[in-house]
Amino acid sequence: MNLGDSGVKKLSGGLANPHCKLKTLRLMHCSITEEGCAALKSTRSYFIDLDLSGNKLGDLGVKQFLAGHFCNIEILKLMNCGVTYEGCAALASVMKSNSTVLKELYLDKNELRDSGVKVLSTALEHPHCKLEMLKLWDCGITDEGCAALASALASNPSHLRNLYVFGNKLGDSAVKLLSALNDDPQNKLENFDLY
């Protein structure tokens, strides 16, 4: 559906209605940009599950949507949205907030690279982080990024139970580091997909 930013603005008016009970919103591949994200910001506290995958949000759109006090979103899908390091930094800030309830974050097919993963790893170390699932398929991550993830999970066994890093440029050292987490009885990681 080619909803576009203008359609999102119209939709946001209805979503902001206090009688609106919508908890799940899926706007995949709707030609939304940062302008549409700014319009959605006023309605974000109503959703538990939001999917904006396949839109050209970029870092600016992600930052605009996340700016200020966060919301009730437990599941956030931003796959193939043009997110890089700056967007990851905004997400990490939310993950560290004591008001966040974010449990699942899907960032597949974004150019996060090691720098983005490193900043997300700082959030995983934070005691307020409640994330249980992190999907980073095909994000340009190498052993360096995986080392940061492994270090974060080893230093502060978080709530993270599911980690998916399929489709990245991982070598044997990354596999060893992440596999070693299974030997740590305090670590809650149950599932991870490396290949």
Side-chain angles (χ1 to χ4, degrees):
M1 178 191 295
N2 192 15
L3 190 64
D5 292 331
S6 58
V8 170
K9 287 178 185 176
K10 290 176 185 174
L11 182 65
S12 295
L15 293 171
N17 186 310
H19 299 294
C20 179
K21 304 295 183 197
L22 193 67
K23 297 296 180 192
T24 299
L25 182 62
R26 305 208 187 286
L27 296 173
M28 300 94 71
H29 306 285
C30 289
S31 302
I32 303 168
T33 69
E34 62 269 11
E35 193 178 338
C37 277
L40 277 174
K41 180 181 173 183
S42 62
T43 66
R44 67 186 177 183
S45 61
Y46 298 96
F47 311 123
I48 291 173
D49 184 345
L50 177 63
D51 192 344
L52 295 171
S53 299
N55 292 292
K56 298 186 184 300
L57 310 181
D59 292 329
L60 182 58
V62 172
K63 288 196 283 189
Q64 284 182 336
F65 179 74
L66 297 175
H69 180 73
F70 199 53
C71 46
N72 299 319
I73 295 177
E74 294 179 11
I75 302 169
L76 181 59
K77 297 180 180 178
L78 299 171
M79 297 174 282
N80 196 22
C81 286
V83 182
T84 67
Y85 169 82
E86 288 186 35
C88 285
L91 287 161
S93 180
V94 165
M95 289 160 62
K96 293 176 187 177
S97 168
N98 62 0
S99 62
T100 187
V101 292
L102 189 62
K103 292 180 180 173
E104 297 183 18
L105 180 59
Y106 297 71
L107 291 170
D108 306 339
K109 295 193 173 291
N110 287 294
E111 286 296 318
L112 309 183
R113 303 192 180 278
D114 292 333
S115 58
V117 173
K118 284 179 182 178
V119 76
L120 289 173
S121 296
T122 64
L124 290 173
E125 292 176 332
H126 201 277
H128 290 143
C129 181
K130 298 176 179 70
L131 207 65
E132 295 177 5
M133 177 182 287
L134 180 58
K135 291 189 76 178
L136 302 170
W137 289 4
D138 194 16
C139 290
I141 307 166
T142 69
D143 288 8
E144 188 179 346
C146 271
L149 282 170
S151 176
L153 294 172
S155 67
N156 180 25
S158 65
H159 295 275
L160 198 70
R161 289 180 165 79
N162 303 285
L163 175 64
Y164 300 95
V165 289
F166 173 83
N168 290 290
K169 304 164 187 175
L170 307 181
D172 291 340
S173 63
V175 174
K176 286 177 186 173
L177 283 169
L178 291 173
S179 297
L181 294 172
N182 281 339
D183 297 329
D184 183 353
Q186 290 186 333
N187 202 289
K188 295 179 180 169
L189 196 62
E190 296 170 358
N191 301 302
F192 63 93
D193 188 354
L194 301 172
Y195 300 107

